[in-house]
Amino acid sequence: MNNDKTYTLAHGGYALTQDNPERLGIAGTVPHSAFLMLLELMNGLALDKAAIVGDNDLSSVGRQNKLQPKYSKVWDAVCFAHATLAAYQQATAEREARLLAVPTLHDGATAVAIEDVETRQWWRSLSLGDRNEVMAEITKGGEEAATKYSRLSIALMRSPTPLPLERETEFFRGAWAQAARVANPGEAVTIDREKEAAQWAVRGLAQLVGILHGLTGWSRAALLAFLVADPKRIGAAAALGYGKFDVARAQQAQQQTDGRIPALA
């Protein structure tokens, strides 16, 4: 069974294929809506372009004068879509950080602090082989073992000094994360869904941007010049594949064009 969904533009023979958002359970999410918004605008642009190009009363210059503002409007929408997606991903990251945060010790929690110290001393007293056995048990035991050893994970994660081995720190950070997800399955599933929605939109927007380059005829250099012309657009540069040096060079080139002396680092 094919679980993909094909999206087509009104003119130009452009089409793209994505995982079916209904099957993934992400239909109606912010990332899905951002993708559909841009797709709709590009459909409108394709129709407008066909009408303008087919207007024999317009010269080639006249056609470009009508098309370029429309091109700019949709490229602006690309920037807006990426800004929306970035804000969504940031919110998801903060939500996940709260879920996976190791409980902090409150003032006066002396008994818990002592228990933490004793737990860490016990861990450090074990031989490397014994520590490996405990970690193997957690690995093989899945959710049940992660829950069983969650107190150990918390104590070790709250350690003011490094564990005997760096890999142990990484291991127990992962074990605690698994235990936190098991303790809050609804929140964990929501976060996973939000991540999947964002990844779906990232793939979809990348395809739309590729199509839009062809639809508008804008080169990557032209698009970068457009981005740096407005501070509100620069935030989308990284998502569109431009590095910091690309942006800096384009900004300096634009300053020189505007008759200003570029600032030197």
mmCIF file of all heavy atoms in Angstrom, residues 113-147:
data_model
loop_
_atom_site.group_PDB
_atom_site.id
_atom_site.type_symbol
_atom_site.label_atom_id
_atom_site.label_comp_id
_atom_site.label_asym_id
_atom_site.label_seq_id
_atom_site.Cartn_x
_atom_site.Cartn_y
_atom_site.Cartn_z
ATOM 1 N N ALA A 113 19.304 14.560 49.633
ATOM 2 C CA ALA A 113 20.689 14.854 49.268
ATOM 3 C C ALA A 113 21.627 13.781 49.807
ATOM 4 O O ALA A 113 22.558 13.357 49.109
ATOM 5 C CB ALA A 113 21.084 16.226 49.815
ATOM 6 N N ILE A 114 21.387 13.354 51.041
ATOM 7 C CA ILE A 114 22.218 12.293 51.633
ATOM 8 C C ILE A 114 22.045 10.988 50.848
ATOM 9 O O ILE A 114 23.018 10.274 50.583
ATOM 10 C CB ILE A 114 21.842 12.087 53.114
ATOM 11 C CG1 ILE A 114 22.250 13.324 53.932
ATOM 12 C CG2 ILE A 114 22.507 10.834 53.673
ATOM 13 C CD1 ILE A 114 21.779 13.282 55.377
ATOM 14 N N GLU A 115 20.809 10.711 50.467
ATOM 15 C CA GLU A 115 20.546 9.495 49.684
ATOM 16 C C GLU A 115 21.269 9.559 48.344
ATOM 17 O O GLU A 115 21.806 8.549 47.863
ATOM 18 C CB GLU A 115 19.043 9.337 49.466
ATOM 19 C CG GLU A 115 18.662 8.041 48.747
ATOM 20 C CD GLU A 115 17.163 7.914 48.541
ATOM 21 O OE1 GLU A 115 16.397 8.644 49.203
ATOM 22 O OE2 GLU A 115 16.754 7.090 47.699
ATOM 23 N N ASP A 116 21.287 10.738 47.729
ATOM 24 C CA ASP A 116 22.028 10.927 46.474
ATOM 25 C C ASP A 116 23.501 10.591 46.663
ATOM 26 O O ASP A 116 24.101 9.866 45.861
ATOM 27 C CB ASP A 116 21.906 12.388 46.012
ATOM 28 C CG ASP A 116 20.704 12.631 45.112
ATOM 29 O OD1 ASP A 116 19.855 11.730 45.002
ATOM 30 O OD2 ASP A 116 20.619 13.722 44.526
ATOM 31 N N VAL A 117 24.091 11.135 47.713
ATOM 32 C CA VAL A 117 25.520 10.920 47.975
ATOM 33 C C VAL A 117 25.799 9.434 48.186
ATOM 34 O O VAL A 117 26.760 8.882 47.623
ATOM 35 C CB VAL A 117 25.976 11.730 49.207
ATOM 36 C CG1 VAL A 117 27.404 11.348 49.590
ATOM 37 C CG2 VAL A 117 25.888 13.222 48.913
ATOM 38 N N GLU A 118 24.970 8.791 48.975
ATOM 39 C CA GLU A 118 25.164 7.365 49.238
ATOM 40 C C GLU A 118 25.028 6.539 47.964
ATOM 41 O O GLU A 118 25.773 5.569 47.754
ATOM 42 C CB GLU A 118 24.161 6.899 50.293
ATOM 43 C CG GLU A 118 24.421 7.485 51.682
ATOM 44 C CD GLU A 118 23.329 7.100 52.680
ATOM 45 O OE1 GLU A 118 22.239 6.657 52.229
ATOM 46 O OE2 GLU A 118 23.563 7.249 53.898
ATOM 47 N N THR A 119 24.084 6.919 47.123
ATOM 48 C CA THR A 119 23.879 6.193 45.862
ATOM 49 C C THR A 119 25.091 6.342 44.958
ATOM 50 O O THR A 119 25.552 5.367 44.347
ATOM 51 C CB THR A 119 22.623 6.725 45.147
ATOM 52 O OG1 THR A 119 21.484 6.539 45.981
ATOM 53 C CG2 THR A 119 22.410 5.990 43.826
ATOM 54 N N ARG A 120 25.641 7.558 44.885
ATOM 55 C CA ARG A 120 26.829 7.785 44.045
ATOM 56 C C ARG A 120 28.051 7.072 44.606
ATOM 57 O O ARG A 120 28.871 6.531 43.840
ATOM 58 C CB ARG A 120 27.084 9.289 43.908
ATOM 59 C CG ARG A 120 26.044 10.002 43.050
ATOM 60 C CD ARG A 120 26.487 11.400 42.683
ATOM 61 N NE ARG A 120 26.491 12.311 43.818
ATOM 62 C CZ ARG A 120 25.467 13.101 44.150
ATOM 63 N NH1 ARG A 120 24.337 13.050 43.454
ATOM 64 N NH2 ARG A 120 25.563 13.931 45.173
ATOM 65 N N GLN A 121 28.169 7.051 45.924
ATOM 66 C CA GLN A 121 29.286 6.335 46.540
ATOM 67 C C GLN A 121 29.186 4.838 46.251
ATOM 68 O O GLN A 121 30.202 4.179 45.977
ATOM 69 C CB GLN A 121 29.305 6.593 48.045
ATOM 70 C CG GLN A 121 29.727 8.001 48.428
ATOM 71 C CD GLN A 121 29.623 8.258 49.920
ATOM 72 O OE1 GLN A 121 28.923 7.542 50.644
ATOM 73 N NE2 GLN A 121 30.333 9.294 50.382
ATOM 74 N N TRP A 122 27.959 4.328 46.315
ATOM 75 C CA TRP A 122 27.765 2.906 45.999
ATOM 76 C C TRP A 122 28.178 2.614 44.565
ATOM 77 O O TRP A 122 28.863 1.638 44.287
ATOM 78 C CB TRP A 122 26.298 2.536 46.217
ATOM 79 C CG TRP A 122 25.957 1.166 45.686
ATOM 80 C CD1 TRP A 122 26.236 -0.024 46.272
ATOM 81 C CD2 TRP A 122 25.327 0.871 44.425
ATOM 82 N NE1 TRP A 122 25.807 -1.071 45.464
ATOM 83 C CE2 TRP A 122 25.247 -0.542 44.336
ATOM 84 C CE3 TRP A 122 24.824 1.646 43.391
ATOM 85 C CZ2 TRP A 122 24.673 -1.177 43.233
ATOM 86 C CZ3 TRP A 122 24.261 1.010 42.303
ATOM 87 C CH2 TRP A 122 24.193 -0.382 42.228
ATOM 88 N N TRP A 123 27.762 3.492 43.641
ATOM 89 C CA TRP A 123 28.083 3.282 42.234
ATOM 90 C C TRP A 123 29.585 3.292 42.003
ATOM 91 O O TRP A 123 30.130 2.444 41.300
ATOM 92 C CB TRP A 123 27.396 4.343 41.381
ATOM 93 C CG TRP A 123 27.712 4.222 39.911
ATOM 94 C CD1 TRP A 123 28.534 4.989 39.180
ATOM 95 C CD2 TRP A 123 27.207 3.213 39.026
ATOM 96 N NE1 TRP A 123 28.589 4.554 37.873
ATOM 97 C CE2 TRP A 123 27.778 3.455 37.753
ATOM 98 C CE3 TRP A 123 26.322 2.142 39.179
ATOM 99 C CZ2 TRP A 123 27.492 2.661 36.652
ATOM 100 C CZ3 TRP A 123 26.032 1.356 38.072
ATOM 101 C CH2 TRP A 123 26.621 1.618 36.840
ATOM 102 N N ARG A 124 30.257 4.256 42.608
ATOM 103 C CA ARG A 124 31.704 4.368 42.419
ATOM 104 C C ARG A 124 32.467 3.229 43.093
ATOM 105 O O ARG A 124 33.604 2.934 42.714
ATOM 106 C CB ARG A 124 32.195 5.720 42.945
ATOM 107 C CG ARG A 124 31.795 6.899 42.057
ATOM 108 C CD ARG A 124 32.431 8.196 42.527
ATOM 109 N NE ARG A 124 32.279 9.267 41.542
ATOM 110 C CZ ARG A 124 31.244 10.081 41.474
ATOM 111 N NH1 ARG A 124 30.259 9.950 42.362
ATOM 112 N NH2 ARG A 124 31.172 11.011 40.545
ATOM 113 N N SER A 125 31.814 2.589 44.077
ATOM 114 C CA SER A 125 32.484 1.470 44.750
ATOM 115 C C SER A 125 32.449 0.192 43.927
ATOM 116 O O SER A 125 33.209 -0.750 44.191
ATOM 117 C CB SER A 125 31.825 1.213 46.113
ATOM 118 O OG SER A 125 30.533 0.612 45.942
ATOM 119 N N LEU A 126 31.570 0.132 42.940
ATOM 120 C CA LEU A 126 31.459 -1.066 42.111
ATOM 121 C C LEU A 126 32.645 -1.178 41.173
ATOM 122 O O LEU A 126 33.222 -0.180 40.745
ATOM 123 C CB LEU A 126 30.168 -1.016 41.286
ATOM 124 C CG LEU A 126 28.835 -1.027 42.044
ATOM 125 C CD1 LEU A 126 27.683 -0.918 41.055
ATOM 126 C CD2 LEU A 126 28.689 -2.280 42.899
ATOM 127 N N SER A 127 32.981 -2.396 40.845
ATOM 128 C CA SER A 127 34.025 -2.607 39.846
ATOM 129 C C SER A 127 33.476 -2.243 38.474
ATOM 130 O O SER A 127 32.259 -2.112 38.282
ATOM 131 C CB SER A 127 34.471 -4.065 39.847
ATOM 132 O OG SER A 127 33.404 -4.896 39.388
ATOM 133 N N LEU A 128 34.361 -2.066 37.506
ATOM 134 C CA LEU A 128 33.930 -1.758 36.150
ATOM 135 C C LEU A 128 33.008 -2.844 35.623
ATOM 136 O O LEU A 128 31.998 -2.559 34.976
ATOM 137 C CB LEU A 128 35.158 -1.615 35.235
ATOM 138 C CG LEU A 128 34.863 -1.363 33.751
ATOM 139 C CD1 LEU A 128 34.061 -0.078 33.567
ATOM 140 C CD2 LEU A 128 36.169 -1.304 32.950
ATOM 141 N N GLY A 129 33.334 -4.098 35.943
ATOM 142 C CA GLY A 129 32.506 -5.208 35.477
ATOM 143 C C GLY A 129 31.110 -5.151 36.059
ATOM 144 O O GLY A 129 30.114 -5.390 35.358
ATOM 145 N N ASP A 130 31.007 -4.814 37.357
ATOM 146 C CA ASP A 130 29.694 -4.729 38.000
ATOM 147 C C ASP A 130 28.885 -3.565 37.436
ATOM 148 O O ASP A 130 27.667 -3.679 37.245
ATOM 149 C CB ASP A 130 29.856 -4.570 39.513
ATOM 150 C CG ASP A 130 30.338 -5.856 40.186
ATOM 151 O OD1 ASP A 130 30.173 -6.932 39.581
ATOM 152 O OD2 ASP A 130 30.871 -5.768 41.315
ATOM 153 N N ARG A 131 29.547 -2.450 37.189
ATOM 154 C CA ARG A 131 28.837 -1.310 36.615
ATOM 155 C C ARG A 131 28.325 -1.662 35.222
ATOM 156 O O ARG A 131 27.206 -1.299 34.835
ATOM 157 C CB ARG A 131 29.743 -0.072 36.557
ATOM 158 C CG ARG A 131 30.186 0.436 37.922
ATOM 159 C CD ARG A 131 30.618 1.899 37.896
ATOM 160 N NE ARG A 131 31.652 2.187 36.913
ATOM 161 C CZ ARG A 131 32.957 2.086 37.136
ATOM 162 N NH1 ARG A 131 33.404 1.646 38.315
ATOM 163 N NH2 ARG A 131 33.829 2.405 36.198
ATOM 164 N N ASN A 132 29.146 -2.366 34.464
ATOM 165 C CA ASN A 132 28.721 -2.786 33.121
ATOM 166 C C ASN A 132 27.525 -3.726 33.194
ATOM 167 O O ASN A 132 26.634 -3.675 32.327
ATOM 168 C CB ASN A 132 29.874 -3.466 32.388
ATOM 169 C CG ASN A 132 30.916 -2.477 31.896
ATOM 170 O OD1 ASN A 132 30.630 -1.291 31.736
ATOM 171 N ND2 ASN A 132 32.132 -2.953 31.667
ATOM 172 N N GLU A 133 27.487 -4.575 34.221
ATOM 173 C CA GLU A 133 26.361 -5.506 34.371
ATOM 174 C C GLU A 133 25.058 -4.754 34.645
ATOM 175 O O GLU A 133 24.006 -5.093 34.105
ATOM 176 C CB GLU A 133 26.642 -6.501 35.508
ATOM 177 C CG GLU A 133 27.631 -7.599 35.147
ATOM 178 C CD GLU A 133 27.776 -8.629 36.257
ATOM 179 O OE1 GLU A 133 26.937 -8.618 37.183
ATOM 180 O OE2 GLU A 133 28.705 -9.448 36.187
ATOM 181 N N VAL A 134 25.146 -3.738 35.496
ATOM 182 C CA VAL A 134 23.956 -2.943 35.788
ATOM 183 C C VAL A 134 23.466 -2.240 34.518
ATOM 184 O O VAL A 134 22.268 -2.247 34.206
ATOM 185 C CB VAL A 134 24.248 -1.897 36.885
ATOM 186 C CG1 VAL A 134 23.056 -0.953 37.046
ATOM 187 C CG2 VAL A 134 24.547 -2.586 38.207
ATOM 188 N N MET A 135 24.393 -1.662 33.766
ATOM 189 C CA MET A 135 24.005 -0.968 32.539
ATOM 190 C C MET A 135 23.433 -1.945 31.522
ATOM 191 O O MET A 135 22.495 -1.611 30.789
ATOM 192 C CB MET A 135 25.199 -0.200 31.972
ATOM 193 C CG MET A 135 25.598 0.988 32.832
ATOM 194 S SD MET A 135 26.812 2.103 32.056
ATOM 195 C CE MET A 135 28.283 1.071 32.095
ATOM 196 N N ALA A 136 23.987 -3.155 31.483
ATOM 197 C CA ALA A 136 23.459 -4.177 30.567
ATOM 198 C C ALA A 136 22.043 -4.563 30.964
ATOM 199 O O ALA A 136 21.177 -4.771 30.106
ATOM 200 C CB ALA A 136 24.369 -5.398 30.568
ATOM 201 N N GLU A 137 21.796 -4.652 32.276
ATOM 202 C CA GLU A 137 20.454 -4.991 32.746
ATOM 203 C C GLU A 137 19.452 -3.915 32.357
ATOM 204 O O GLU A 137 18.335 -4.212 31.936
ATOM 205 C CB GLU A 137 20.464 -5.153 34.270
ATOM 206 C CG GLU A 137 19.098 -5.534 34.837
ATOM 207 C CD GLU A 137 19.083 -5.617 36.359
ATOM 208 O OE1 GLU A 137 20.173 -5.614 36.968
ATOM 209 O OE2 GLU A 137 17.971 -5.686 36.918
ATOM 210 N N ILE A 138 19.875 -2.659 32.481
ATOM 211 C CA ILE A 138 18.994 -1.544 32.103
ATOM 212 C C ILE A 138 18.710 -1.593 30.603
ATOM 213 O O ILE A 138 17.574 -1.403 30.158
ATOM 214 C CB ILE A 138 19.624 -0.199 32.488
ATOM 215 C CG1 ILE A 138 19.740 -0.096 34.014
ATOM 216 C CG2 ILE A 138 18.802 0.965 31.944
ATOM 217 C CD1 ILE A 138 20.498 1.141 34.483
ATOM 218 N N THR A 139 19.755 -1.860 29.820
ATOM 219 C CA THR A 139 19.601 -1.919 28.365
ATOM 220 C C THR A 139 18.642 -3.030 27.949
ATOM 221 O O THR A 139 17.749 -2.830 27.116
ATOM 222 C CB THR A 139 20.967 -2.132 27.691
ATOM 223 O OG1 THR A 139 21.834 -1.042 28.026
ATOM 224 C CG2 THR A 139 20.816 -2.208 26.180
ATOM 225 N N LYS A 140 18.825 -4.206 28.550
ATOM 226 C CA LYS A 140 18.008 -5.361 28.167
ATOM 227 C C LYS A 140 16.610 -5.307 28.770
ATOM 228 O O LYS A 140 15.671 -5.867 28.215
ATOM 229 C CB LYS A 140 18.706 -6.651 28.596
ATOM 230 C CG LYS A 140 20.025 -6.915 27.886
ATOM 231 C CD LYS A 140 20.702 -8.165 28.430
ATOM 232 C CE LYS A 140 22.062 -8.411 27.771
ATOM 233 N NZ LYS A 140 22.754 -9.589 28.339
ATOM 234 N N GLY A 141 16.476 -4.633 29.906
ATOM 235 C CA GLY A 141 15.200 -4.636 30.622
ATOM 236 C C GLY A 141 14.169 -3.676 30.088
ATOM 237 O O GLY A 141 13.002 -3.731 30.489
ATOM 238 N N GLY A 142 14.579 -2.785 29.196
ATOM 239 C CA GLY A 142 13.634 -1.866 28.572
ATOM 240 C C GLY A 142 12.984 -0.916 29.560
ATOM 241 O O GLY A 142 13.615 -0.434 30.502
ATOM 242 N N GLU A 143 11.684 -0.660 29.367
ATOM 243 C CA GLU A 143 10.978 0.318 30.176
ATOM 244 C C GLU A 143 10.960 -0.059 31.655
ATOM 245 O O GLU A 143 11.119 0.802 32.527
ATOM 246 C CB GLU A 143 9.538 0.465 29.663
ATOM 247 C CG GLU A 143 9.432 1.032 28.259
ATOM 248 C CD GLU A 143 8.004 1.155 27.803
ATOM 249 O OE1 GLU A 143 7.095 0.719 28.556
ATOM 250 O OE2 GLU A 143 7.771 1.695 26.697
ATOM 251 N N GLU A 144 10.783 -1.346 31.946
ATOM 252 C CA GLU A 144 10.718 -1.791 33.345
ATOM 253 C C GLU A 144 12.034 -1.514 34.066
ATOM 254 O O GLU A 144 12.049 -0.998 35.189
ATOM 255 C CB GLU A 144 10.401 -3.286 33.396
ATOM 256 C CG GLU A 144 10.243 -3.821 34.815
ATOM 257 C CD GLU A 144 9.872 -5.296 34.845
ATOM 258 O OE1 GLU A 144 9.489 -5.838 33.794
ATOM 259 O OE2 GLU A 144 9.975 -5.904 35.936
ATOM 260 N N ALA A 145 13.140 -1.821 33.423
ATOM 261 C CA ALA A 145 14.442 -1.601 34.041
ATOM 262 C C ALA A 145 14.744 -0.111 34.166
ATOM 263 O O ALA A 145 15.326 0.334 35.164
ATOM 264 C CB ALA A 145 15.529 -2.292 33.233
ATOM 265 N N ALA A 146 14.357 0.667 33.149
ATOM 266 C CA ALA A 146 14.589 2.108 33.207
ATOM 267 C C ALA A 146 13.861 2.715 34.394
ATOM 268 O O ALA A 146 14.385 3.601 35.090
ATOM 269 C CB ALA A 146 14.125 2.769 31.909
ATOM 270 N N THR A 147 12.646 2.229 34.653
ATOM 271 C CA THR A 147 11.879 2.702 35.798
ATOM 272 C C THR A 147 12.512 2.249 37.106
ATOM 273 O O THR A 147 12.629 3.022 38.062
ATOM 274 C CB THR A 147 10.426 2.190 35.711
ATOM 275 O OG1 THR A 147 9.845 2.639 34.487
ATOM 276 C CG2 THR A 147 9.612 2.695 36.880
#
